[in-house]
Amino acid sequence: MLSILRRQIAQRPLAATAAMLIAALSATPGVARAEYPERQITMIVCFPAGGGTDIAARLINTQLGEALGKPVIVENRGGAGGNIGIATAARAAGDGYTLLVCSSAYVVNPSLYAQASYDPFKDFIPVMVIGASPNAFVVPAQSDVKSMPELIAKAKANPGKLNWTSPGAGTTPYLAGELLKLRTGIDMLHIPFAGAGPATTAVLGGQVDMYTANIGSLMALIDAGKVRPIAVTSSNRWGDLPMCPRSRSSG
């Protein structure tokens, strides 16, 4: 799930940002359109460029800026599974000029890290959900693996010799991969990267045996035949990949 949130504004109702992000782009009742925005808006993405969250932000920032009459810029603050960008947004002034675009890492991370640098319930106000999509497991196009059962069999025959990557330790793709390992008993080495962009470069270069990421950042590669999907984490088969089965990490 990809969401837009803004820094909590004490003693104020939701700013016009929420309403302006929907099709009508009309002002929230009680907030004068002329008062907001008066300057540039920063949209913080808590992952490096190239991933699904970044793609979602860049699909809407230009049109949002045109509708608001002020520029809306995307600022990538990747690292620590999204924590760096989220913490940056949490420290921003609560004036509606800083938006956070993030994945479900926003609610997952506080349970993964001993000292989370933000409170998901107190530091932000949710504005809207951009969309939702599952993660997918893919292998390089040149791989001899054609399906998830083949990957599992190969990993069991070569314990500790295969590797895989994700957009970073602690991200939901990483957790999906670790859950797959737990449920199947395979031993594969995780190679973390600071975002989907660097991880994608590794899988395209054949440096990793498997890659787990959000489908949004993978579809162009899948359509171009540069990677081969072998499973998705949705509870049912995904519409864009009807022939791809769900993985054992999805329940």
Side-chain angles (χ1 to χ4, degrees), residues 13-41:
L14 283 175
T17 312
M20 292 176 182
L21 282 168
I22 63 177
L25 294 176
S26 58
T28 298
V31 179
R33 173 66 184 268
E35 295 178 359
Y36 177 89
E38 297 178 328
R39 53 185 171 83
Q40 172 183 289
I41 296 170

Side-chain angles (χ1 to χ4, degrees), residues 99-132:
L99 304 179
L100 171 66
V101 184
C102 59
S103 69
S104 51
Y106 170 77
V107 292
V108 172
N109 286 1
S111 66
L112 294 178
Y113 296 86
Q115 295 181 333
S117 54
Y118 66 97
D119 186 321
F121 301 105
K122 296 180 179 180
D123 289 340
F124 295 92
I125 290 177
V127 174
M128 72 175 296
V129 175
I130 302 175

